[in-house]
Amino acid sequence: MLRNSGWGRNLTPAEFDRVASDVREIRVPAGGYIGRTGEPAEHWIGIIEGLAKMSVTSPEGRTATLAGVVAGGWFGEGSLLKKELRRYDIIAIRDTRVALLPRASFEWLRGTSLPFNHYLLNLLNARLGLFIGLLEYDRLLGPDARLARCLASLFNPDLYPEPGPYVDLLQVEVGLLSGVSRQRANVALQRLQQAGLIRIEHRGLTVLDLEGLRRFAGGG
């Protein structure tokens, strides 16, 4: 996973060896917390295998999903850079293998590796674009379009390395990432398939028109 990451393959052999010796793996069951709001941010987090979501919960108990994270994605750099407590929960949607790079290793890479800093800059820019898009989706778009844009966001190469057209997501998982019920996600997926943008598979779906997904406005 480290060698295939956009930043790991650009490290020198010495840098890579240090990172490989410092990183550790944990396994989190579906529904378990990878990180919690209010905790000190002590690691940069990567998904080796599985699926997770970033979410926030209001004092009244309302939950909003900020983003999904698929295998190959890294996140949590903002809290590390600002040296603040984590501002969102990270929850495993299915059984998930997680890589944890300690803060000290993260800061060492920032201080020694120019390619790593370039990667971080691109990552932060992509993350900013994602969250600006979330504001648009939530305020201007109906559930079909929100789901379409959510799927399209999983194909940003700055966030997730080399995604293929097939997405290994169950309908309930698509709903969790998009902030809609399983039933509403099923309706939206059927409409996207009718529009020729995706093909629903036995498990997961295949994206046929990525640009179409990004532009999809739906009817509501």
Side-chain angles (χ1 to χ4, degrees):
M1 187 261 197
L2 292 175
R3 291 192 187 281
N4 290 333
S5 67
W7 58 275
R9 58 176 171 252
N10 290 320
L11 299 180
T12 67
E15 290 168 342
F16 185 88
D17 287 345
R18 170 164 173 172
V19 167
S21 67
D22 290 346
V23 74
R24 68 184 179 94
E25 177 185 333
I26 62 171
R27 294 174 183 257
V28 181
Y33 283 82
I34 299 169
R36 291 178 182 266
T37 302
E39 288 182 341
E42 298 297 345
H43 297 90
W44 196 36
I45 303 170
I47 301 298
I48 303 170
E49 181 182 87
L51 179 67
K53 68 172 183 175
M54 305 178 194
S55 65
V56 292
T57 303
S58 72
E60 295 76 30
R62 294 179 58 196
T63 300
T65 297
L66 301 178
V69 189
V70 297
W74 288 83
F75 58 97
E77 63 282 342
S79 298
L80 289 175
L81 291 170
K82 291 181 284 185
K83 297 180 174 61
E84 66 179 14
L85 300 179
R86 205 169 298 285
R87 302 179 65 181
Y88 51 84
D89 295 320
I90 310 118
I91 302 170
I93 294 179
R94 64 175 70 151
D95 292 350
T96 300
R97 296 170 59 207
V98 180
L100 300 177
L101 183 69
R103 173 195 291 276
S105 305
F106 178 85
E107 292 294 350
W108 176 77
L109 282 174
R110 285 184 62 217
T112 59
S113 174
L114 185 60
F116 183 75
N117 280 280
H118 286 165
Y119 173 88
L120 273 186
L121 183 61
N122 289 333
L123 181 64
L124 289 167
N125 186 52
R127 194 92 68 201
L128 177 62
L130 174 66
F131 289 139
I132 289 174
L134 282 174
L135 288 174
E136 174 196 357
Y137 309 161
D138 209 39
R139 298 181 182 186
L140 302 178
L141 302 179
D144 294 351
R146 290 206 307 272
L147 187 142
R149 305 292 177 87
C150 174
L151 289 177
S153 73
L154 301 178
F155 289 83
N156 185 329
D158 288 324
L159 296 174
Y160 312 113
E162 302 174 0
Y166 175 74
V167 182
D168 180 19
L169 289 177
L170 300 175
Q171 291 185 5
V172 64
E173 295 171 338
V174 174
L176 285 170
L177 294 181
S178 307
V180 301
S181 68
R182 177 178 181 176
Q183 292 79 9
R184 191 63 189 78
N186 179 56
V187 171
L189 289 171
Q190 292 293 337
R191 289 177 177 169
L192 295 176
Q193 180 168 256
Q194 291 167 8
L197 302 177
I198 67 170
R199 182 175 63 248
I200 300 172
E201 311 287 1
H202 176 67
R203 175 192 170 99
L205 55 95
T206 297
V207 173
L208 304 176
D209 184 353
L210 179 57
E211 289 305 316
L213 274 182
R214 289 172 173 155
R215 296 191 304 267
F216 185 81

